[in-house]
Amino acid sequence: MWMVNQQAMCRMHLLGEHCECHMFLGSLRKQKSMEGYITNNLFEPKLLKERHDSLAVEMQSRGYKHKTPLDFSSDVFNYLTIEQLNYKVDYQSSFQDLINRCSVCRSNFINRFTKLFNTRSKD
Ligand SMILES: [Zn+2]
Ligand SMILES: [Zn+2]
């Protein structure tokens, strides 16, 4: 979960993060360990649904198909520790990582640098 402003993400990273949201839910349903994702700043349990839905809205606004609602009850989080459940992605670090990796995202963000984050920019 990059957790950056989805409006500035390139197609590949937008679709990739959307796909990851579904994979995270799959892992949660199987009660797989999420520790590695959290250690690597990739997963914020409490925003999974909200983030998926923001990505889906952006996909649809670009004319990409989205047919995969992410519906689940919060029971899927029951096996996580409190620390895992409350983990928040470090958005600054995630943003740096994304723009270092992807020149398309980087130039998109430079063109819209006034709005890097769509949620909770200070926390
Ligand atoms: Zn979806
Ligand atoms: Zn990109």
Side-chain angles (χ1 to χ4, degrees):
M1 293 166 71
W2 294 105
M3 303 302 293
V4 300
N5 183 354
Q6 66 279 356
Q7 293 174 7
M9 294 173 80
C10 76
R11 176 188 170 91
M12 182 182 82
H13 281 110
L14 177 66
L15 297 182
E17 186 177 350
H18 168 256
C19 181
E20 292 291 337
C21 287
H22 285 275
M23 286 169 45
F24 284 136
L25 180 58
S27 297
L28 289 164
R29 287 199 162 123
K30 291 178 194 155
Q31 302 203 350
K32 291 195 175 164
S33 170
M34 304 306 279
E35 185 59 30
Y37 299 117
I38 289 170
T39 306
N40 288 306
N41 195 40
L42 298 171
F43 179 50
E44 181 163 339
K46 286 182 172 169
L47 287 185
L48 179 61
K49 168 73 177 159
E50 185 182 323
R51 179 62 176 168
H52 167 273
D53 291 351
S54 304
L55 296 170
V57 166
E58 177 61 20
M59 285 164 60
Q60 286 169 322
S61 80
R62 295 189 198 183
Y64 311 161
K65 289 198 169 54
H66 182 261
K67 298 178 184 164
T68 51
L70 196 74
D71 291 324
F72 60 96
S73 90
S74 55
D75 294 358
V76 296
F77 298 128
N78 283 353
Y79 74 101
L80 299 179
T81 65
I82 296 291
E83 291 74 24
Q84 290 174 334
L85 182 64
N86 289 327
Y87 183 75
K88 291 177 182 170
V89 166
D90 175 345
Y91 297 170
Q92 291 289 348
S93 142
S94 170
F95 171 71
Q96 283 299 332
D97 194 16
L98 180 63
I99 63 170
N100 288 342
R101 282 193 214 190
C102 179
S103 61
V104 183
C105 284
R106 184 164 60 238
S107 56
N108 289 354
F109 276 102
I110 288 167
N111 293 334
R112 311 165 160 256
F113 64 91
T114 52
K115 190 170 176 245
L116 297 183
F117 306 110
N118 68 330
T119 49
R120 237 186 38 219
S121 54
K122 51 183 184 318
D123 198 83

